[in-house]
Amino acid sequence: MTNAKEIRLVDLDDDGVDRAFRADVLTGLAQGQKAIPARWFYDERGSALFEDITGVSEYYPTRSETEILESRGAEFAELIGPGRAVVEFGSGSSVKTPLLLSAIKPDAYVPLDISGDFLRAAAADLSAKFPHLSVYPVEADFTKKVELPAEVASTPKLGFFPGSTIGNMVPRTAVDLLREMRKTLGDGAMLLIGMDLIKDTDVLEAAYDDAQGVTAAFNLNLLERINRELSGTIPVEKFRHEARWVDIFARIEMHLVAQEDVSFTVSGREFAMQAGETIHTENSHKFSKRSSNTLLLAGHWTPVEHWTDARRRFSLILANASIPRSAP
């Protein structure tokens, strides 16, 4: 029997505002280089727009990762084995998840996502596809340790983190996240994680600035969310989307560029920006095999296997939870 019990762990104030969202926005807008963490893209509209991005011709990561999931199922099954609880971090619409669940035959599925409405809809859809699988959606900020449902406490875990979301974080933050995942999943856990690979700059920049303008709408939606949820007065029409490759950091950066001098308020606080000044909204780091291994090992995960698509644009990596130690 499917269990669709939901757990809500988001910290809201008396007005229903996510305290962490407001704190991140106010802190980020007060900095010299204004910046807002990319995790706040994903309100209901932002989550839907991201799903639209995955379908545009320039955005290769989803197609490349899906190719790996479709072609390597037997290898996943052999290395992972049946009977695990799959814990998906930032599950979104879970469109790739059925490929993994079909391959490894888990005992339970625990999707974690900060966007509650999107999470519930995706969990219900997955429950319909896998009627004998217990599903426990958890609305939570997975960048911190999450208490998983008691029903899966004794079940060995497989963390699933597709889509190269780890690349949105600077290395220090990425390592912190991997360590929190290690704590959430516990001893004996495994992690299947997506990481995008370094490639030609033209291919990378086009993937984050598609001709249809879907990524631009996704980026600008963050300002609309601030206006709606934090009583903001940001003139959204006076900003434009920009994606740029920064080679020294091996990453694509997304910015919202003020096209003229602007002033606005957020939660009663006043801010001003000059023409050309930007709000840095996302990083998307790209990896080599060596740099991905280094990141995982620093996060207390030991790589077991790497898979890539036929064009070697994207990688899925399976890792075991390692035992932290201080000795080299």
Side-chain angles (χ1 to χ4, degrees):
M1 179 182 294
T2 298
N3 189 332
K5 174 182 174 183
E6 179 193 355
I7 299 174
R8 299 173 63 90
L9 298 174
V10 177
D11 183 19
L12 304 179
D13 67 13
D14 293 339
D15 296 323
V17 175
D18 188 317
R19 289 187 175 91
F21 178 42
R22 179 163 52 201
D24 279 351
V25 170
L26 294 178
T27 299
L29 291 177
Q31 296 171 357
Q33 169 59 70
K34 292 173 171 52
I36 298 171
R39 64 194 178 112
W40 300 116
F41 280 133
Y42 299 98
D43 63 350
E44 186 173 4
R45 174 165 164 74
S47 296
L49 281 168
F50 181 74
E51 297 306 320
D52 292 341
I53 288 171
T54 65
V56 302
S57 60
E58 298 95 331
Y59 193 79
Y60 61 84
T62 300
R63 292 189 299 275
S64 300
E65 188 173 34
T66 299
E67 176 189 323
I68 300 169
L69 287 164
E70 289 176 336
S71 63
R72 302 291 189 170
E75 295 172 53
F76 297 153
E78 180 179 357
L79 290 172
I80 296 167
R84 290 183 178 265
V86 174
V87 179
E88 185 170 0
F89 296 90
S91 55
S93 66
S94 303
V95 294
K96 302 166 193 169
T97 313
L99 297 170
L100 177 64
L101 299 181
S102 296
I104 67 170
K105 297 179 174 55
D107 275 359
Y109 173 61
V110 183
L112 311 179
D113 204 278
I114 203 167
S115 178
D117 292 340
F118 213 68
L119 171 71
R120 288 184 285 277
D125 182 64
L126 200 71
S127 292
K129 291 178 180 175
F130 294 87
H132 301 294
L133 180 67
S134 293
V135 178
Y136 306 100
V138 178
E139 183 179 352
D141 176 5
F142 65 80
T143 63
K144 304 177 179 66
K145 183 178 183 294
V146 177
E147 292 298 328
L148 297 178
E151 291 87 345
V152 300
S154 61
T155 308
K157 314 297 190 299
L158 171 70
F160 186 38
F161 198 36
S164 197
T165 304
I166 195 71
N168 293 149
M169 301 161 193
V170 297
R172 172 182 53 79
T173 306
V175 169
D176 287 345
L177 175 61
L178 289 167
R179 291 180 179 183
E180 291 301 323
M181 289 178 168
R182 170 70 177 80
K183 293 175 186 175
T184 293
L185 297 171
D187 293 342
M190 304 184 82
L191 177 67
L192 184 63
I193 184 170
M195 293 193 189
D196 199 7
L197 300 174
I198 296 171
K199 57 189 69 66
D200 290 345
T201 301
D202 289 347
V203 174
L204 288 168
E205 290 185 341
Y208 293 85
D209 192 10
D210 60 278
Q212 297 178 53
V214 181
T215 310
F218 174 71
N219 201 7
L220 289 162
N221 180 66
L222 178 58
L223 301 183
E224 295 172 355
R225 179 181 185 184
I226 291 170
N227 284 347
R228 183 177 64 255
E229 297 185 21
L230 302 179
S231 302
T233 62
I234 302 172
V236 179
E237 72 281 359
K238 295 181 180 179
F239 286 82
R240 64 175 175 83
H241 163 72
E242 180 177 290
R244 60 178 77 149
W245 172 252
V246 183
D247 194 69
I248 191 172
F249 298 126
R251 73 189 186 198
I252 287 283
E253 291 183 0
M254 291 204 330
H255 290 256
L256 291 164
V257 185
Q259 300 182 85
E260 58 184 79
D261 293 353
V262 296
S263 59
F264 53 88
T265 62
V266 176
S267 292
R269 289 180 54 178
E270 297 182 353
F271 300 94
M273 296 177 63
Q274 297 180 342
E277 192 176 353
T278 76
I279 304 171
H280 186 178
T281 55
E282 184 179 56
N283 296 314
S284 187
H285 292 82
K286 310 304 173 184
F287 300 92
S288 66
K289 185 175 182 178
R290 287 189 177 93
S291 66
S292 62
N293 284 346
T294 298
L295 188 70
L296 286 165
L297 289 164
H300 300 157
W301 295 95
T302 302
V304 173
E305 184 63 87
H306 288 248
W307 295 277
T308 65
D309 61 293
R311 300 179 71 177
R312 302 188 66 81
R313 288 185 165 189
F314 194 90
S315 65
L316 267 176
I317 306 164
L318 183 66
N320 283 326
S322 56
I323 304 301
R325 58 184 185 136
S326 57

